[in-house]
Amino acid sequence: MTGMKLYSLESNDPRRLGPYRLLRRIATGGMGRIYLARQEAAAADAAGPTGTVVDHPLVAVKTLLAEGFVSRPDRDRFAREVALAGRVESASTAKVLASDATAKRPWLAIEFIPAPSLAELVCEAGTLPADAVHWVAAEAARALVELHGVGVVHRDVKPQNILLTRGGPRLIDFGISHAHDHTSSATTIGTFPFTSPEQASGKKSTTASDMYSLGATLFFLAVGRPPYEQTDHSIGLLALVQRAELDTEGLPQQLERLILPLLRAEPGERPAPADVLRNCLRGLGPLTVTGQAARWLPPEWTALIEEYAEQGRQLQNGIVDFDAADARTQVGPEADRDGWEETVSAMREQLEALRKQRDALAQEQAEERAEAEERERRRLAEEERGRLEQARKAADRAEKERKENERKERERVARAGTQTSTQGSTSTPSTSSASSRPKTPAKSASKTSNNSEGWVGLLVGAVIIGLLIWQPWDKQKDNSPQSSPQPTYSSGLVSGGSSGDASSGSDGFSTSSSGGSDDYDPEPEPETSSPEPDPTEDAFKAVSVGDCLDVVDTGYGGEEKYDWSKEEPNTAPCSTARVRVYRTTGDCDSARDQATWSYYSSSSGERTALCLEGQYRNGDCLLANNRGDSASIALLSSVNCTDRQVPSAYHDIFVITAIYRATASTSTADCRAGQYDTNTYWSQKVDDGATLLCLKAYD
C-alpha cells in the first residue's frame, strides 16, 4: 500500500486555471484531466466572508484535454455538464466549488477527496463480506437517489468512480469528464464490464443504466471480478455485455436478492435506487445511522483508507514538500505518458472492435427481432383461438338456454289451458248447449232466461279474472311428471290425451280424468353456480410485494381517512410512483407514511388488503395543514405545486426541499441551506425513522 499517486506537471499542462495554482496532475481520462490545485491567498481573501475557499484550500480542478483552441461543440458540452454538476447538492458526492465554462480553457473546481477508490481497495485489500456490501450499496444508492432527483444520470458508475472515505462512499465524475480515478492499481478494470446492455448497444443512458452499473460494481466488491466470463478480447466482452450474459459463479447466496435484480437485461425490471436504499437500511438495522466505515469494513480496508486520509491531511496542512514528494510517490512523466499511450491504444482497439462487430450485431439483432415478431404472432393467434372458443361456448350456452326457456313456456301455456278447460266444464254452460234446447214461447220464461244468462256471464268473468290473478299453473310450472298427458289444442278445444283418458262433458269440452294437472310437484332444488368474476378483486390480487402503484391519497378523506385516487390498483414504474407495496398478507404497519388499501368482494366474500408506503423525491409537493407551530402532512398525497384549490381538510401545499439520512440528532435545523436561509421549514421522519424529509410551504 503506497497511498495516492501524484504526477508532475508536463510542459503542455497549464500552471493556472482561474484563481487556482495547479500543483500536480491527479489523473488523465478520455475527455479531460484532473489537477490538484490550491487557491491563491489574494483570491481567497477576495472571495468574501463565506469561508468556502478556506474550508477547501486544496481542490481538484478538471479541464478539457484540448490544447490551444477549444471547439464550440466541446465547449458547449462542457458547459452543459458544468450546469448539471452545479445542480447536485449531496454529502455522497464531490461538491462543486467554482467553474468557468467560458474561459479560454474551461475549468471546474470540485472538492478534493483524499480517499482510495473501490477498485484499488479490492485489488489491494481483497473482497468485502455481505454486510459491508449492503452498507456500500445503501450509501451508493443514496447518492443516485439525489442525482436522479435533480435530473442527472451518472452514465459511468464503476468501482473507479466511487471513493471510500471513513464517513462512507463518495460518488465522483457524475457526467463531467469520465476521467480515471484518483489512483492507479495493478489491475486494469476498464469501463465495459460495468456498462449496461443498452449502453453497450449504443442506446441512450437512463437512470436504469446507472442501476445496472451499480449491480456490476457490487458484484465486483463481493467476488473480485466483473459479472462476466473472463476474456482477453474486448470484442467478446462487449458481446457478453450487450446480451447481459452473466457469469455469477462465486456470488454469496445472501447477496443474490440485492445484486441479481440490478443485473436484469430489461431496464424496466431493475429496482429504483430508493428501493435499494430502503431494503439495505432495513436489512442492516439501526447501526446503519452511524455511517462509519470502520463498523462495516475489514481491517485491511480501513488501513488503506486511513493511509489516504493521513496523506490528505499532510497535503492540506502544507507539510508535504512536492519536490520531495516527486521522488517518493511520483511515478514520473515517462511512466505517465506510457500509461496514457496504453489508454489510447486500448481505446483504438475498442473502436476497431466495434467497427468489426457492427455487421454481426446488426444481423444478430435482426434475427432476434424476427424471433420476437414470430413469438408475438403465435401469441396473438393463440389468443384469437381462445377468444373464438369462448365465443362458441357462449353461443352454445345461449342456444341451450333459449331452447330450455321455450320448452318451459310451452308447458306453462299448456297447463294454463288445462286449468281453464276444467273450470269452464264445471261452472259455465256453453252458448252452443243453450242454443240446442227448445225455446220457451212464454214471455216470462224468456225474461227469466235472459236474466239467468246475464248472471251466469258475470259469474264466468269473475272466475276467469280470479284464475288470472291466482295463476295456479305457475305453482306447478316445470314440475309435472313426465308421464302426465300433455294438453294439445285441436279445433279450438282442449284435449287431455287419448279417448281412453278423457270424458266429454255435455258442453262439448273434454276434461282429463287422470287429475294429474291439478296435483303440484315439490319445488326443484336451486341450482348452484360459481360466483360471478370480480375484476376489481382480480386487480388487487394481481399486485405483488415490491410493486409500485399510480395511486395517491386525494386528501378528501381528511386527516383520519385515506381517499384513494383510483378504484383499483394499477402498477407503475417505481421511479415515478408515489406509493410502493411492502406487504400483501397480514396486518399493515401503522406509521404515518404507511397505509392500508383494502377491497371487499361481495362476489367471493373475501377481503384483499395491500400495505402501502410512501416514496419521496426532491421537489415533490404534498398536502398539508399548517397550524403555525405544527403541521399535519398527507404523506401519501401528491399534488401540482401550483394548485390553487386543495381539499377542505388541508390548507397548504408543502414542497420537499431535501431528503437526508436520519440520525438521533437530526432535526429541522438541518434543513436550512445556510446561516442566511430565513425560510420556515418543517421536517418529517419516514421509512421507520431512517429518513428525514425537509419541507417548506410552496411559494
Side-chain angles (χ1 to χ4, degrees):
M1 300 182 186
T2 58
M4 71 183 75
K5 277 74 175 176
L6 299 173
Y7 304 94
S8 296
L9 300 178
E10 296 183 355
S11 58
N12 60 346
D13 288 317
R15 294 312 188 256
R16 183 185 303 276
L17 287 172
Y20 299 101
R21 180 170 62 89
L22 307 186
L23 304 175
R24 286 291 184 272
R25 182 152 44 89
I26 298 175
T28 300
M31 178 180 169
R33 284 182 178 175
I34 306 176
Y35 298 94
L36 179 67
R38 189 186 300 274
Q39 187 168 13
E40 298 287 354
D45 294 340
T50 60
T52 301
V53 178
V54 176
D55 291 341
H56 303 281
L58 284 178
V59 299
V61 179
K62 298 185 180 184
T63 187
L64 293 173
L65 270 178
E67 299 178 6
F69 176 75
V70 179
S71 67
R72 172 58 59 183
D74 287 343
R75 186 181 296 277
D76 292 342
R77 182 169 57 251
F78 188 85
R80 286 194 300 270
E81 293 172 346
V82 167
L84 282 177
R87 292 161 55 180
V88 180
E89 290 289 340
S90 171
S92 301
T93 61
K95 297 180 180 178
V96 175
L97 304 176
S99 64
D100 188 354
T102 63
K104 181 178 180 181
R105 177 173 287 191
W107 56 270
L108 172 69
I110 64 173
E111 176 187 8
F112 172 60
I113 304 174
S117 70
L118 295 180
E120 183 173 6
L121 283 163
V122 171
C123 294
E124 296 288 342
T127 58
L128 281 182
D131 284 347
V133 173
H134 277 91
W135 177 71
V136 173
E139 297 303 318
R142 188 188 306 278
L144 291 177
V145 167
E146 295 170 340
L147 285 180
H148 296 171
V150 295
V152 177
V153 178
H154 190 286
R155 305 198 305 262
D156 198 17
V157 175
K158 58 184 178 181
Q160 298 99 316
N161 282 342
I162 300 179
L163 307 182
L164 191 54
T165 70
R166 290 178 297 179
R170 304 286 291 277
L171 190 59
I172 63 172
D173 285 348
F174 37 92
I176 305 301
S177 68
H178 298 287
H180 290 308
D181 59 292
H182 286 240
T183 65
S184 63
S185 60
T187 301
T188 300
I189 299 176
T191 298
F192 274 0
F194 304 97
T195 299
S196 66
E198 60 268 20
Q199 288 175 289
S201 301
K203 299 177 182 178
K204 183 179 179 181
S205 300
T206 65
T207 56
S209 305
D210 284 350
M211 299 310 295
Y212 188 96
S213 299
L214 176 60
T217 298
L218 298 178
F219 185 96
F220 176 79
L221 297 185
V223 183
R225 63 173 178 84
Y228 302 100
E229 181 182 352
Q230 298 301 298
T231 176
D232 296 331
H233 301 286
S234 58
I235 298 177
L237 176 60
L238 181 62
L240 294 176
V241 175
Q242 289 174 331
R243 296 194 299 266
E245 191 171 315
L246 304 175
D247 176 13
T248 60
E249 183 178 357
L251 179 65
Q253 184 176 2
Q254 57 267 44
L255 290 174
E256 291 180 354
R257 294 183 62 185
L258 167 65
I259 295 177
L260 294 185
L262 293 169
L263 296 177
R264 289 171 179 159
E266 290 298 326
E269 296 179 359
R270 300 169 199 157
D275 297 327
V276 175
L277 173 61
R278 183 182 298 106
N279 293 335
C280 288
L281 290 178
R282 287 178 176 172
L284 292 171
L287 293 180
T288 312
V289 299
T290 61
Q292 294 299 318
R295 183 176 294 277
W296 304 102
L297 303 179
E300 296 82 2
W301 281 54
T302 56
L304 184 57
I305 292 172
E306 182 55 40
E307 186 176 342
Y308 267 75
E310 177 59 29
Q311 189 174 355
R313 283 192 294 269
Q314 294 179 10
L315 292 173
Q316 292 280 18
N317 297 331
I319 298 175
V320 176
D321 184 347
F322 282 103
D323 293 332
D326 289 343
R328 184 173 68 254
T329 64
Q330 179 180 337
V331 175
E334 293 301 324
D336 188 32
R337 186 178 297 108
D338 292 340
W340 171 241
E341 290 176 354
E342 291 178 0
T343 302
V344 173
S345 177
M347 293 175 61
R348 288 173 178 170
E349 181 183 352
Q350 293 175 358
L351 290 174
E352 181 66 20
L354 288 172
R355 282 192 293 269
K356 290 181 179 180
Q357 198 181 12
R358 179 179 56 191
D359 295 339
L361 290 177
Q363 179 64 26
E364 182 179 349
Q365 291 173 355
E367 292 175 357
E368 290 178 353
R369 284 195 297 270
E371 291 178 0
E373 290 174 357
E374 178 63 18
R375 288 194 300 269
E376 181 66 12
R377 186 191 66 78
R378 292 176 181 175
R379 185 186 66 81
L380 293 175
E382 186 65 25
E383 289 182 355
E384 183 64 21
R385 283 194 294 270
R387 286 194 294 268
L388 292 175
E389 181 64 17
Q390 291 178 356
R392 185 189 64 78
K393 291 180 179 179
D396 290 345
R397 288 194 299 269
E399 181 64 16
K400 287 180 66 175
E401 292 177 359
R402 184 186 66 79
K403 291 181 178 179
E404 181 67 15
N405 291 336
E406 288 180 353
R407 183 188 66 79
K408 293 178 179 180
E409 180 64 17
R410 286 196 299 270
E411 292 179 359
R412 185 188 69 80
V413 172
R415 292 192 183 96
T418 301
Q419 292 292 330
T420 305
S421 174
T422 302
Q423 293 294 333
S425 64
T426 57
S427 303
T428 309
S430 66
T431 305
S432 60
S433 296
S435 62
S436 66
R437 298 190 185 102
K439 295 184 180 180
T440 304
K443 183 177 182 181
S444 59
S446 176
K447 182 176 182 181
T448 303
S449 175
N450 289 338
N451 290 339
S452 175
E453 289 179 359
W455 284 105
V456 169
L458 291 176
L459 180 59
V460 170
V463 170
I464 292 174
I465 293 174
L467 287 173
L468 292 176
I469 295 176
W470 179 27
Q471 295 183 354
W473 50 86
D474 282 345
K475 297 184 179 181
Q476 50 189 346
K477 182 180 179 181
D478 298 329
N479 293 320
S480 299
Q482 295 296 324
S483 60
S484 300
Q486 299 298 320
T488 59
Y489 290 87
S490 178
S491 303
L493 301 179
V494 181
S495 174
S498 65
S499 60
D501 295 331
S503 60
S504 179
S506 61
D507 55 2
F509 283 91
S510 297
T511 306
S512 173
S513 62
S514 65
S517 60
D518 293 331
D519 296 333
Y520 294 100
D521 290 336
E523 290 289 335
E525 293 293 330
E527 296 181 359
T528 59
S529 60
S530 58
E532 292 293 329
D534 189 338
T536 302
E537 182 182 31
D538 294 341
F540 270 81
K541 289 186 175 181
V543 176
S544 303
V545 174
D547 286 348
C548 295
L549 308 179
D550 62 346
V551 65
V552 295
D553 177 18
T554 66
Y556 286 101
E559 297 182 17
E560 303 298 329
K561 182 180 179 182
Y562 291 100
D563 180 70
W564 302 111
S565 58
K566 299 289 182 69
E567 292 294 332
E568 59 184 46
N570 184 37
T571 57
C574 290
S575 58
T576 58
R578 280 284 293 111
V579 299
R580 174 182 177 274
V581 179
Y582 69 88
R583 190 180 303 156
T584 57
T585 58
D587 296 331
C588 302
D589 300 331
S590 58
R592 290 190 62 187
D593 61 323
Q594 296 168 331
T596 304
W597 188 13
S598 61
Y599 174 75
Y600 174 79
S601 174
S602 59
S603 177
S604 67
E606 295 182 6
R607 176 181 176 271
T608 307
L610 303 178
C611 299
L612 310 180
E613 61 184 357
Q615 295 198 129
Y616 308 97
R617 290 167 289 273
N618 282 344
D620 284 352
C621 282
L622 312 177
L623 294 170
N625 188 0
N626 182 3
R627 301 185 180 91
D629 56 343
S630 64
S632 297
I633 305 169
L635 292 170
L636 299 184
S637 65
S638 179
V639 295
N640 191 326
C641 298
T642 59
D643 283 349
R644 295 187 178 183
Q645 294 183 348
V646 297
S648 58
Y650 300 94
H651 305 90
D652 293 279
I653 294 177
F654 281 6
V655 59
I656 299 177
T657 60
I659 302 175
Y660 296 113
R661 179 179 54 194
T663 65
S665 60
T666 306
S667 66
T668 309
D670 297 316
C671 298
R672 298 190 180 281
Q675 60 179 329
Y676 300 109
D677 188 353
T678 59
N679 290 308
T680 300
Y681 291 92
W682 285 264
S683 65
Q684 179 68 52
K685 289 185 178 180
V686 296
D687 296 337
D688 294 332
T691 304
L692 180 78
L693 302 181
C694 292
L695 309 101
K696 72 180 186 72
Y698 185 81
D699 298 330

